[in-house]
């Protein structure tokens, strides 16, 4: 953590503590009116519980709120009103929906491609149909895909492609931190910007809290790099910053696109060690499919910049669009609607698996639907394997992840922990034909609260690479045996159960 960022964190923490102290002070000052205060808040909490019960949110999220409200009704209802409801205002949602409608107009589905996929595999066609109709991102022929097993591999190729940029570079990341990785990339971006290349950066304020200065975006602007910060953190008691931009996107000239789990910080390329060896993955693809990544970036940029972008200026029109045996479909997920695109795409792969499903995820904090799907697939004879970290980056999240092992293992799901350190990749591969590489963790925040993205693939060359990487990674993992689960102390079981209950709020 850079020393110059500590004052900002301290200021935010002190500001929030001060507000809490003021609230407590007001309660003490007006203690003589406590009876009225208590009655009003009990009434508010009762109304809030009724509201939550009738809301369309995930049942696990409802339970995680209802229990603490019922336990502490005097403050529970007010606390939910303050931070529990959707943090996006109607004004923001309305503005984003207008931009979303614009993106639908430029993302036109290709019926020929859809028909070809249906003729080959109806299960694949159903998944693609869902993505097209509920995420609004179309299906493309797969030209070239390159899968990277480690951050070091992606870093090398990213620099190579950035050096080729002639027209524009769009980069959107949850985390950027000064160091070997980012500084060497920044050198390229500054050079390109000085030559007239349109260089734009979006980074998330929470992701970069403690890593960049408060006005780092202005430093980039002074270098000729256009920049926006997503959802800046403000020192008030509110989780208006609950919805984050967790995507990792690079688009170069509309020709080449990157995504995956890798942020722009040194732990992702193992230049520094935080939690042992850091394993993460990414994917590069070219051809028409890059257009979807371009639109993802521009739609968020248009919202942050309050500008009207001409998307067509950034479409690469000289590519060859021909069928080479596979399909690819980049997609985005966001918290603006009730549609959990990332989770549904994952569930579709699990439910359609005939032979195997191999999954890597840094967090395994799932709802009942996902838990049931994984268990049923294993009970039906599908080889379901999941790799999680051995060294967690957050102890409480790691404890919740491990709390899901027992029902999964007892149903036949094989769980492995990556012994050398922390695995941050988010990948699915199934039956030698389906694959996903993206930013979507198997936890509540990624599945319900964040802006995310991924790439769904069918019969691309990278499917084999995904499987090969998973199998080779298993050699560095420890399998979780039933005997290990049976020997967990009772008090640890209770602790994990409590954490699991409140996992939707983490």
């Amino acid at each position: 953590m850079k020393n110059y960022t500590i004052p900002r964190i301290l200021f935010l923490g002190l500001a929030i503590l001060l507000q809490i102290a003021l609230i407590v002070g007001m309660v003490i000052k007006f203690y003589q009116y406590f009876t009225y205060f208590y009655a009003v808040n009990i009434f508010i909490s009762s109304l809030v519980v009724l509201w939550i019960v009738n809301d369309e949110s995930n049942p696990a999220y409802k339970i995680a709120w209802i229990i603490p409200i019922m336990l502490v009704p005097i403050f529970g209802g007010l606390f939910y009103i303050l931070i529990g409801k959707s943090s996006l205002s109607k004004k923001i949602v309305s503005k984003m929906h207008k931009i979303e409608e614009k993106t639908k107009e430029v993302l036109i589905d290709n019926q020929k491609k859809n028909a070809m996929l249906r003729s080959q595999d109806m299960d694949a066609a159903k998944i693609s149909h869902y993505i097209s109709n509920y995420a609004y991102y179309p299906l493309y022929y797969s030209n070239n895909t390159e899968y990277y097993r480690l951050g070091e591999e992606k870093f090398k190729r990213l620099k190579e492609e950035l050096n080729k940029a002639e027209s524009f570079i769009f980069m959107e990341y949850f985390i950027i931190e000064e160091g070997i990785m980012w500084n060497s990339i920044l050198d390229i971006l500054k050079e390109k910007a000085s030559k007239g290349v349109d260089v734009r950066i979006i980074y998330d304020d929470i992701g970069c809290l403690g890593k960049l200065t408060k006005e780092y975006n202005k430093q980039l602007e002074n270098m000729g790099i256009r920049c926006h910060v997503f959802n800046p953190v403000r020192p008030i008691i509110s989780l208006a910053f609950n919805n984050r931009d967790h995507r990792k996107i690079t688009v170069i000239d509309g020709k080449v696109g990157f995504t995956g789990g890798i942020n722009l910080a040194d732990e992702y390329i193992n230049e520094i060690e935080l939690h042992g060896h850091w394993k993460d993955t990414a994917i590069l693809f070219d051809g028409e499919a890059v257009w979807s990544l371009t639109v993802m970036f521009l739609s968020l940029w248009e919202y942050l910049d309050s500008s009207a972008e001409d998307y067509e200026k950034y479409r690469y029109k000289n590519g060859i669009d021909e069928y080479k045996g596979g399909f690819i479909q980049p997609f985005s997920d966001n918290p603006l609607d009730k549609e959990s695109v990332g989770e549904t795409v994952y569930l579709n792969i699990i439910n359609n698996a005939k032979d195997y499903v191999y999954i890597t995820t840094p967090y395994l904090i799932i709802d009942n639907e996902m838990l049931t799907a994984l268990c049923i697939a294993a009970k039906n004879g599908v080889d379901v394997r999941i790799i999680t970290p051995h060294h967690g980056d957050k102890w409480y999240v790691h404890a919740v992840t491990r709390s899901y092992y027992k029902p999964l293992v007892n149903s036949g799901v094989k769980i492995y922990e990556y012994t050398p350190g922390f695995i941050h990749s988010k990948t699915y591969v199934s039956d030698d034909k389906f694959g996903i590489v993206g930013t979507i963790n198997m936890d509540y925040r990624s599945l319900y609260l964040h802006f995310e993205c991924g790439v769904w693939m069918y019969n691309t060359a990278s499917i084999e690479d995904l499987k090969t990487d998973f199998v080779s990674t298993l050699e560095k993992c420890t399998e979780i045996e039933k005997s290990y689960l049976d020997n967990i102390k009772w008090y640890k079981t209770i602790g994990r159960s409590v954490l699991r209950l409140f996992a939707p709020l983490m």
Side-chain angles (χ1 to χ4, degrees):
M1 182 181 292
K2 306 297 188 296
N3 289 333
Y4 53 67
T5 64
I6 292 177
R8 186 186 178 203
I9 298 175
L10 289 175
F11 172 74
L12 290 170
L14 289 173
I16 291 173
L17 287 174
L18 178 61
Q19 292 168 75
I20 293 173
L22 287 172
I23 293 172
V24 172
M26 289 177 65
V27 172
I28 294 173
K29 182 176 177 62
F30 295 100
Y31 182 77
Q32 63 268 35
Y33 303 107
F34 180 77
T35 302
Y36 304 104
F37 179 80
Y38 183 81
V40 169
N41 280 281
I42 290 292
F43 179 69
I44 290 173
S45 291
S46 300
L47 291 179
V48 166
V49 168
L50 290 174
W51 172 271
I52 294 172
V53 168
N54 288 282
D55 189 31
E56 295 181 5
S57 58
N58 186 275
Y61 189 77
K62 293 181 182 181
I63 293 170
W65 271 110
I66 289 172
I67 289 176
I69 291 173
M70 297 296 287
L71 287 174
V72 192
I74 187 170
F75 289 116
L78 289 175
F79 192 63
Y80 177 81
I81 291 171
L82 188 64
I83 70 170
K85 297 193 323 181
S86 174
S87 55
L88 292 171
S89 69
K90 290 183 179 180
K91 183 178 179 181
I92 292 174
V93 171
S94 176
K95 182 180 177 182
M96 284 189 165
H97 274 314
K98 289 178 182 177
I99 296 171
E100 186 178 72
E101 291 301 316
K102 182 177 177 181
T103 64
K104 292 178 188 177
E105 294 175 6
V106 298
L107 291 169
I108 301 173
D109 217 9
N110 188 298
Q111 297 304 316
K112 178 182 176 182
K113 295 182 178 70
N114 296 338
M116 182 177 290
L117 181 58
R118 280 197 302 272
S119 68
Q120 293 184 24
D121 191 317
M122 277 304 299
D123 288 340
K126 290 176 182 177
I127 299 174
S128 176
H129 176 85
Y130 172 79
I131 296 172
S132 296
N133 285 272
Y134 291 91
Y136 312 115
Y137 285 86
L139 180 69
Y140 301 94
Y141 295 143
S142 173
N143 291 331
N144 174 56
T145 60
E146 296 178 15
Y147 171 72
Y148 307 117
R149 301 166 302 156
L150 293 169
E152 296 90 316
E153 295 177 2
K154 187 243 180 155
F155 179 41
K156 178 181 177 181
R157 285 291 286 122
L158 178 60
K159 289 190 293 183
E160 290 173 0
E161 293 299 328
L162 288 173
N163 278 312
K164 298 176 186 177
E166 298 176 348
S167 179
F168 67 88
I169 298 170
F170 296 158
M171 303 185 78
E172 178 183 341
Y173 284 84
F174 180 61
I175 294 174
I176 295 176
E177 183 173 16
E178 291 184 320
I180 293 172
M181 186 180 194
W182 171 240
N183 292 349
S184 59
I185 289 172
L186 183 58
D187 288 340
I188 299 172
L189 300 182
K190 287 190 291 186
E191 180 186 357
K192 291 297 179 180
S194 69
K195 294 179 179 179
V197 175
D198 182 3
V199 182
R200 307 189 197 185
I201 302 287
I202 298 173
Y203 64 82
D204 186 271
D205 201 30
I206 280 287
C208 297
L209 188 64
K211 304 177 188 300
L212 299 177
T213 59
K214 181 181 179 181
E215 297 186 343
Y216 190 76
N217 57 315
K218 293 183 180 179
Q219 294 182 39
L220 295 179
E221 294 276 357
N222 291 333
M223 299 173 190
I225 298 169
R226 301 171 68 186
C227 181
H228 279 296
V229 182
F230 183 85
N231 205 358
V233 181
R234 294 178 174 84
I236 57 174
I237 302 177
S238 171
L239 288 188
F241 50 81
N242 211 20
N243 302 112
R244 309 314 314 174
D245 180 12
H246 194 244
R247 303 192 304 205
K248 294 93 179 168
I249 294 173
T250 295
V251 179
I252 302 165
D253 294 343
K255 297 180 184 178
V256 175
F258 290 84
T259 191
I262 300 166
N263 284 295
L264 305 180
D266 283 355
E267 63 266 31
Y268 291 85
I269 56 172
N270 289 293
E271 285 292 339
I272 60 173
E273 184 175 302
L274 295 182
H275 311 288
H277 183 266
W278 195 291
K279 172 156 174 60
D280 214 333
T281 58
I283 193 163
L284 170 152
F285 56 95
D286 59 18
E288 276 198 329
V290 180
W291 175 235
S292 286
L293 280 189
T294 305
V295 172
M296 282 181 213
F297 179 91
L298 286 173
S299 62
L300 193 59
W301 181 273
E302 189 171 352
Y303 163 74
L304 296 172
D305 198 60
S306 297
S307 61
E309 292 287 342
D310 180 3
Y311 290 21
E312 288 295 332
K313 283 174 54 180
Y314 305 98
R315 186 199 289 265
Y316 184 65
K317 300 179 175 66
N318 299 323
I320 299 174
D321 180 32
E322 60 181 359
Y323 178 64
K324 295 184 178 180
F327 295 88
I328 187 171
Q329 197 164 9
F331 64 92
S332 178
D333 194 6
N334 67 68
L336 299 179
D337 51 32
K338 301 295 182 181
E339 195 64 40
S340 303
V341 173
E343 182 178 41
T344 303
V345 174
Y346 284 168
L347 286 171
N348 280 339
I349 288 184
I350 295 167
N351 293 334
N352 283 297
K354 305 293 190 300
D355 183 18
Y356 72 87
V357 179
Y358 295 161
I359 302 166
T360 65
T361 180
Y363 316 116
L364 189 61
I365 304 174
I366 51 181
D367 59 16
N368 186 66
E369 290 85 352
M370 180 66 73
L371 179 65
T372 301
L374 290 166
C375 291
I376 288 176
K379 289 176 180 179
N380 287 342
V382 177
D383 182 10
V384 183
R385 305 189 186 198
I386 305 173
I387 297 178
T388 65
H390 182 66
H391 301 285
D393 61 338
K394 305 176 185 70
W395 71 265
Y396 52 92
V397 176
H398 197 49
V400 179
T401 289
R402 286 177 162 174
S403 75
Y404 284 89
Y405 288 178
K406 191 168 186 176
L408 289 167
V409 171
N410 286 339
S411 296
V413 177
K414 297 178 181 178
I415 306 287
Y416 302 83
E417 289 190 344
Y418 182 65
T419 308
F422 187 66
I423 188 162
H424 189 255
S425 61
K426 312 95 168 46
T427 64
Y428 270 60
V429 61
S430 175
D431 295 348
D432 293 346
K433 58 183 180 180
F434 296 115
I436 296 177
V437 179
T439 69
I440 309 169
N441 296 320
M442 291 179 70
D443 66 16
Y444 284 87
R445 302 199 65 80
S446 268
L447 296 174
Y448 299 110
L449 298 175
H450 292 167
F451 289 79
E452 303 279 1
C453 66
V455 179
W456 175 80
M457 295 173 285
Y458 174 77
N459 275 352
T460 70
S462 292
I463 301 296
E464 183 178 351
D465 295 333
L466 265 168
K467 183 180 180 181
T468 299
D469 182 36
F470 186 94
V471 172
S472 63
T473 303
L474 284 181
E475 298 174 1
K476 303 173 184 176
C477 295
T478 300
E479 184 175 359
I480 303 300
E481 304 284 354
K482 286 187 178 181
S483 57
Y484 164 80
L485 298 172
D486 292 337
N487 290 328
I488 294 177
K489 301 296 183 182
W490 66 269
Y491 53 86
K492 289 187 177 180
T493 299
I494 293 174
R496 289 179 180 178
S497 297
V498 172
L499 285 170
R500 182 173 166 182
L501 176 63
F502 294 106
L505 306 182
M506 292 181 178

